[in-house]
Amino acid sequence: MQRKHIRTGIALAFLLYSTGTRADGVSAVKSCETDNDAPEDNARLTILPNGESRGSDTAAALIKMARQKAKEGKDAEAIQWAALCNFSEAAEQAAIKKDRTLVLQYLKQ
């Protein structure tokens, strides 16, 4: 009986670990690069780093701008643009900021 509980605990720990490792910053940016859907209504009102509202800018368009800013050496601004692509996904926004170095390296390619 005790072994069954240990196996269940190990399986649960593995499940939690594997779910938590999916949200990394580079993966989040890569998923945004192919997202050409119109943003949700509340995302349209977001103020972008350039002071304008997002409007109909797709996630892919935001990553394109992030890539441009990264290549210009404006790293902080590039991360701001990249993090906005996942407006409703706080975990992915946090992952982009946490994995800043890897995200910038990817954007500068």
Side-chain angles (χ1 to χ4, degrees):
M1 184 72 162
Q2 188 175 10
R3 284 186 178 178
K4 185 177 180 180
H5 290 298
I6 292 172
R7 280 185 279 177
T8 304
I10 291 171
L12 180 61
F14 178 75
L15 179 65
L16 290 173
Y17 173 76
S18 63
T19 328
T21 57
R22 270 190 274 153
D24 71 273
V26 175
S27 294
V29 168
K30 285 180 179 181
S31 73
C32 287
E33 278 184 309
T34 59
D35 184 355
N36 286 305
D37 294 336
E40 297 173 11
D41 288 341
N42 57 346
R44 291 175 185 266
L45 301 174
T46 303
I47 302 300
L48 300 173
N50 64 1
E52 297 176 8
S53 66
R54 178 174 176 172
S56 62
D57 288 346
T58 64
L62 297 180
I63 294 302
K64 185 177 180 181
M65 181 59 80
R67 192 174 289 280
Q68 177 183 329
K69 295 298 179 183
K71 288 179 179 179
E72 291 173 1
K74 299 177 180 177
D75 294 353
E77 195 173 344
I79 293 297
Q80 288 177 324
W81 281 95
L84 287 174
C85 78
N86 284 309
F87 178 78
S88 62
E89 299 294 329
E92 290 184 355
Q93 287 180 345
I96 289 170
K97 292 174 184 174
K98 180 181 73 77
D99 297 338
R100 172 189 174 93
T101 303
L102 293 173
V103 168
L104 288 169
Q105 184 178 27
Y106 176 74
L107 291 172
K108 290 176 182 182
Q109 292 178 350

